[in-house]
Amino acid sequence: MEGAPTMSPKIALITGANSGIGFTIAQRLLNHSTDGFRVVLCCRNRKKASDARDTLLKEFPSGLIDIIIVDVGSVDSVFRSCKEIKKKYDRIDLLFCNAGIFPCAYLDWWTVARQAITDPKGLLIESTPLIQPVGATTSEGLGETFACNVFGHYIMIRQLEDVLASSDQSRIIWTSSRTAKRDDYNPSDYQCFRGPSPYESSKYVTDVIAIALNSRLNKRNIHSFTTHPGVVATNIVYDHLGWAMDKTMKAVLYTGRSLGIKEATITGWNGSYANYVVATEPIENLNKFCKYGSYAKPWGSIYCLEEAIICYDEKEANDLLRKLDDLLNEFRKKNKYGV
Ligand SMILES: NC(=O)c1ccc[n+]([C@@H]2O[C@H](COP(=O)([O-])OP(=O)(O)OC[C@H]3O[C@@H](n4cnc5c(N)ncnc54)[C@H](OP(=O)(O)O)[C@@H]3O)[C@@H](O)[C@H]2O)c1
């Protein structure tokens, strides 16, 4: 029964858990007093993962924290890690599809200057001046941003479906973005090889899949949701800005938030609030056709809003799922790990 104490801790897998929003999802779960959680940090870099675990253990000395090494941008690595996960856990209660990249070719200063005058709020909460490289592919031939932000997670869900179904009620929680837009998605180029915005396209695909999976998985008591963190000063964008710009942007974000820009959640802890709400609210209070967003009041207190995804189209969603299944089957045929 939802909310009742469980005999064993709930098992929560979090991709991209060594920093930013993924790290603070782990923190929030370990801090949660009603249910115990075993958090599994799914990271691509072992050193970063064990540093994250050490930091969490300082705060939660009796925390149950495991590590799984996975590069979600590599199909091979995802297959391998799923095999390991299935050996280690006979049940998964929460799967946070959170790891993500925002590749950036350069910062367009002309757009920064123009937007600073015409749309200063947009400059803060959109990523327009960060020009994305177009046509980048992984060594396995997939669109780079699509592979990491979408497909690796899709494979995890498909490979782990039975262990997700072994929970009384499991949840898949995707970290999407408020900048995900239908306009940036091209059904005939769903991996966004041709641009112009692989990141926004990948996040739109995320939203569509997150909703569409419900019609397939709810009968097995697996429930899928999409969230966004607002605008958070994490490595994903700030790595592209350099130290001085990073500090400047943070100062501007705090100023913007004090003036009422509610999207400026700024910290990972704030940004992960929507993920936490979706992980812990009784399922009957949640709407699978909505995206759950983290927002901040001018003085910094945080809240979660449920937002309708108005352009969701069931036929388009099913087409997309079919394409992902076809792609997955191609890889399954040639995979070396017997999964
Ligand atoms: N920050 C924002 O304002 C914002 C806004 C909207 C949506 N989001 C979404 O929030 C999610 C988390 O990002 P963040 O802001 O917390 O940024 P972050 O601090 O850079 O965290 C991203 C995490 O994903 C991991 N990662 C990236 N590529 C990976 C791969 N191929 N395999 C495994 N792990 C990988 C990173 O690992 P490494 O440390 O090894 O690189 C890192 O742990 C992303 O999906 C992002 O799109 C963020």
Side-chain angles (χ1 to χ4, degrees):
M1 193 172 57
E2 185 64 25
T6 46
M7 292 299 287
S8 54
K10 288 190 174 182
I11 297 170
L13 266 60
I14 309 165
T15 67
N18 56 279
S19 69
I21 291 146
F23 179 80
T24 47
I25 292 171
Q27 246 178 341
R28 282 187 175 279
L29 296 182
L30 292 168
N31 192 46
H32 184 78
S33 52
T34 316
D35 303 296
F37 286 99
R38 172 179 287 277
V39 299
V40 185
L41 313 178
C42 301
C43 308
R44 61 179 160 180
N45 180 303
R46 192 173 292 281
K47 165 89 174 62
K48 286 187 186 179
S50 63
D51 287 351
R53 178 166 62 183
D54 291 348
T55 309
L56 288 167
L57 281 173
K58 274 192 197 134
E59 195 178 346
F60 307 100
S62 56
L64 302 170
I65 307 166
D66 298 342
I67 289 174
I68 292 280
I69 299 302
V70 56
D71 176 347
V72 292
S74 154
V75 176
D76 253 17
S77 169
V78 175
F79 276 140
R80 230 176 311 135
S81 69
C82 287
K83 203 169 176 183
E84 188 187 344
I85 291 166
K86 284 193 275 193
K87 258 195 211 146
K88 267 191 162 162
Y89 309 103
D90 55 12
R91 184 190 91 238
I92 295 169
D93 301 286
L94 293 165
L95 171 60
F96 290 90
C97 302
N98 167 77
I101 53 169
F102 185 120
C104 171
Y106 63 95
L107 180 64
D108 180 355
W109 284 102
W110 170 240
T111 304
V112 173
R114 190 164 32 84
Q115 228 180 344
I117 296 162
T118 58
D119 179 20
K121 181 178 172 188
L123 182 59
L124 271 192
I125 66 171
E126 308 292 340
S127 41
T128 329
L130 295 171
I131 307 302
Q132 298 170 49
V134 168
T137 56
T138 67
S139 58
E140 292 163 323
L142 300 170
E144 185 190 34
T145 310
F146 162 83
C148 184
N149 295 3
V150 179
F151 193 55
H153 292 112
Y154 187 74
I155 302 176
M156 284 184 96
I157 292 166
R158 292 293 315 275
Q159 296 296 113
L160 299 176
E161 195 177 313
D162 288 343
V163 247
L164 283 161
S166 298
S167 164
D168 291 347
Q169 180 202 77
S170 59
R171 302 180 194 196
I172 298 163
I173 302 170
W174 296 78
T175 310
S176 177
S177 166
R178 36 168 304 288
T179 59
K181 284 195 298 292
R182 173 71 183 78
D183 289 352
D184 291 313
Y185 171 66
N186 175 356
S188 66
D189 183 26
Y190 67 97
Q191 297 190 38
C192 205
F193 290 114
R194 300 198 292 272
S197 307
Y199 180 77
E200 286 74 13
S201 167
S202 76
K203 293 301 183 183
Y204 179 77
V205 168
T206 294
D207 289 343
V208 171
I209 295 172
I211 296 175
L213 279 172
N214 285 304
S215 54
R216 189 186 280 178
L217 298 179
N218 283 178
K219 54 182 175 290
R220 303 195 74 188
N221 228 348
I222 305 171
H223 306 267
S224 168
F225 298 94
T226 183
T227 66
H228 76 73
V231 182
V232 187
T234 56
N235 302 341
I236 198 164
V237 168
Y238 287 77
D239 273 356
H240 305 305
L241 297 179
W243 185 86
M245 269 298 283
D246 174 14
K247 298 289 172 241
T248 310
M249 280 301 288
K250 276 184 195 152
V252 176
L253 278 173
Y254 277 106
T255 308
R257 184 169 81 190
S258 69
L259 296 173
I261 297 183
K262 62 182 190 303
E263 292 84 355
T265 45
I266 307 175
T267 65
W269 180 262
N270 290 344
S272 62
Y273 184 61
N275 300 70
Y276 174 71
V277 168
V278 172
T280 53
E281 266 295 304
I283 206 109
E284 57 276 15
N285 294 350
L286 299 171
N287 182 340
K288 289 165 201 146
F289 286 92
C290 286
K291 179 145 81 175
Y292 287 83
S294 303
Y295 289 95
K297 300 252 168 79
W299 52 92
S301 70
I302 206 80
Y303 60 102
C304 174
L305 282 182
E306 185 182 278
E307 295 156 21
I309 299 183
I310 38 181
C311 45
Y312 180 75
D313 173 329
E314 199 170 344
K315 183 181 169 312
E316 182 179 87
N318 287 331
D319 283 350
L320 187 55
L321 281 187
R322 219 172 0 258
K323 283 176 186 156
L324 297 193
D325 286 334
D326 290 348
L327 193 58
L328 172 57
N329 287 336
E330 274 175 40
F331 278 101
R332 272 181 174 160
K333 272 184 215 144
K334 48 187 183 198
N335 108 80
K336 309 182 274 286
Y337 304 102
V339 282

